[in-house]
Amino acid sequence: MQAEPVNPVLVFAWGNASRGDDGLGPALFDLLEALRLDGRLPGVDLLTDYQLQVEHALDLQGRDRVLFVDASVSARAPYELGPLLPERDVSYTTHAMSPGAVLAVYEQINGQTPPPAYLLTIRGYEFDLGKALSPQARKNLQDGYTLVCELLTDAPDSDWEQRLVPTVNSRQG
């Protein structure tokens, strides 16, 4: 059985939409999915989940670039964008993993360096169960969406390094 071809760029957003601003990742996914369905994101695959898991290392295979997207209680508003490196941290052996740990699993199972990966953390404020996105998080979401659209549509093959806003770390919540 032959593997299904994948697009060179993967945007992987995660979070819990039932916990207020923790749903920023899935909310960005929804905005991007509308573009993809309209044919305006060629060469891009989108993926969303509740949390990162070891199996997600398989989703990185065949990619030229990966953008992870999550909400953050500590990122500067409206967002931070930074590079990721493989990192065997304590999440490596749990069900919920950091993006760096997913990259480390990719490296381990494939015996090669993972594709260039970046983490976009969108600043959130209210993470209580049953809450909707806060007004400020919605504004930050729009700013993050604008950035991602520029990265993916204006110059998908350009050097994303020019757009980096340093992240605090790769383990956001």
Side-chain angles (χ1 to χ4, degrees):
M1 186 166 145
Q2 190 166 351
E4 187 175 319
V6 298
N7 282 310
V9 176
L10 172 66
V11 177
F12 191 145
W14 76 98
N16 184 345
S18 299
R19 296 207 42 182
D21 295 348
D22 194 46
L24 283 164
L28 182 66
F29 171 88
D30 290 342
L31 293 171
L32 294 172
E33 180 68 359
L35 286 180
R36 189 191 67 74
L37 291 173
D38 199 27
R40 294 189 286 165
L41 285 181
V44 177
D45 284 333
L46 303 173
L47 182 62
T48 189
D49 208 331
Y50 175 76
Q51 63 190 12
L52 297 177
Q53 299 180 40
V54 67
E55 294 85 358
H56 290 126
L58 298 174
D59 296 312
L60 308 184
Q61 293 178 333
R63 308 295 179 172
D64 294 340
R65 189 176 314 193
V66 179
L67 177 64
F68 290 93
V69 182
D70 192 18
S72 172
V73 297
S74 60
R76 290 176 297 215
Y79 56 76
E80 294 179 359
L81 175 67
L84 286 169
L85 296 172
E87 176 182 25
R88 280 186 89 170
D89 57 24
V90 293
S91 73
Y92 187 78
T93 59
T94 67
H95 291 288
M97 299 176 68
S98 71
V102 172
L103 295 175
V105 170
Y106 175 94
E107 195 171 60
Q108 180 182 6
I109 63 175
N110 291 293
Q112 63 186 32
T113 303
Y118 303 85
L119 175 64
L120 173 66
T121 52
I122 303 172
R123 178 68 161 101
Y125 305 90
E126 298 176 22
F127 290 78
D128 295 328
L129 186 61
K131 296 279 186 178
L133 290 178
S134 68
Q136 185 59 42
R138 285 186 187 281
K139 180 187 177 310
N140 295 345
L141 171 63
Q142 282 307 125
D143 291 343
Y145 174 69
T146 298
L147 171 73
V148 172
C149 287
E150 290 171 1
L151 292 173
L152 297 177
T153 61
D154 292 346
D157 295 325
S158 70
D159 185 8
W160 288 11
E161 300 290 325
Q162 298 173 14
R163 302 298 305 261
L164 298 183
V165 177
T167 57
V168 175
N169 62 46
S170 64
R171 289 181 287 288
Q172 301 297 319

